[in-house]
Amino acid sequence: MASASANGANALLVSVVLLATLCVCTATSPYAAGLSEDFYHTSCPQAASIVDAYVTKFLKKDRNFAGAFNRLQFHDCWVGGCDGSVLLNSTETNQAEREAHVNFGLRGVAEIDEIKAGLEDFCPGVVSCADILILAARDATAKVGGPTWSVALGRRDGVNSTALMADTNLPFPVLNFSGLVANFAAKGFGAREMITLSGAHTIGRSHCNGILPHLYNFTGRDDATDTDPAMNKNFSVFLKKLCPQGNRTNTIFIDSTANTFDRAYYKNVLQGKGIFITDSTLITNPVGKKVVTTFSKPRSSFFTEFAAGMVKMGNLGVLTGTEGEIRKTCQFVNE
């Protein structure tokens, strides 16, 4: 009887161990297949620290580069996946993504190439431009007061880049709420995640190119009075001084605290001070307005959710293994 009881106990223990092992093995990873946090552990152990040092250098020169690096990750990952294609130059026969209308004024490409050159000195042919983008966006966000997050690496660089793909996939700054929801849904993101990642506008600057429709062509009349009626009147006067009708090249900070990652963006939107139509439209939907209001308050989950959104974005369409290549310089495919 005692032997039978012991055998039963042993069988139960084995079952528990097997179940625990199964649970560990089938635990869902937050990263795409082929990516890992220690990918360069042996091939280039100093990779992350080198990127971090360069980002610190660039932010000391211009703290607003934090917004540029954030924008680069989004504009890269949203078009065919996180493969560094946004960095490629056009050729005689191809207009690359950087030439797209939606990429007007894109900054940070030369800086990413400088980081790449520094990495090539230590670990030639190892670290991809795609991974540099992901690391730079994370490091820059944290250095200007935002959240940090774990980054999985192992992406490889793509060899295709077209302006048409960028203009087809990226959201133009004139989309309304439903248009934004549809654009993000196509990439597997919900409405709340869209509002969360819109919070990247808390840092950075923009050329007037994307702001003019909000000031002079909101309903399609294309005149000086065709301004979004929901925009704060004093704010619209202020913007029109910085962005006169027809001037596409002047630059303006997107947020009242544009060099600091904080919740001011959401407060500005609630006050009718959204720079783009895509900012102001967030509160035209009751669900959107509720999320914006929540994120505008201290101790909200905005930072945590933003970090999770950036990790999820970093998984889009990654090339791993033998796919793609590791570019020698980020603006050119290898010969």
Side-chain angles (χ1 to χ4, degrees), residues 226-304:
D226 195 11
T227 305
D228 180 358
M231 184 181 287
N232 178 286
K233 297 297 186 292
N234 291 333
F235 188 62
S236 67
V237 171
F238 168 73
L239 286 183
K240 287 179 179 181
K241 289 180 180 178
L242 297 174
C243 294
Q245 191 171 10
N247 186 314
R248 300 182 179 278
T249 56
N250 283 0
T251 58
I252 182 173
F253 289 129
I254 300 176
D255 176 273
S256 57
T257 57
N259 290 332
T260 302
F261 193 102
D262 54 22
R263 296 174 178 82
Y265 165 75
Y266 295 107
K267 295 177 183 177
N268 293 339
V269 169
L270 289 169
Q271 294 168 2
K273 297 179 180 179
I275 295 290
F276 303 113
I277 292 174
T278 47
D279 296 326
S280 297
T281 197
L282 297 181
I283 57 173
T284 60
N285 175 281
V287 175
K289 187 171 185 178
K290 182 177 181 180
V291 176
V292 170
T293 302
T294 298
F295 283 166
S296 72
K297 297 177 181 178
R299 295 179 295 279
S300 74
S301 58
F302 166 51
F303 276 33
T304 301

Side-chain angles (χ1 to χ4, degrees), residues 2 11 32 35 43 49 90 104 111 134 150 173 186 193-195 210 225 303:
L35 304 184
S43 59
S49 61
S90 295
F104 184 83
E111 286 70 24
I134 299 294
S150 297
E193 290 172 312
M194 177 272 289
I195 297 167
T225 63
F303 276 33

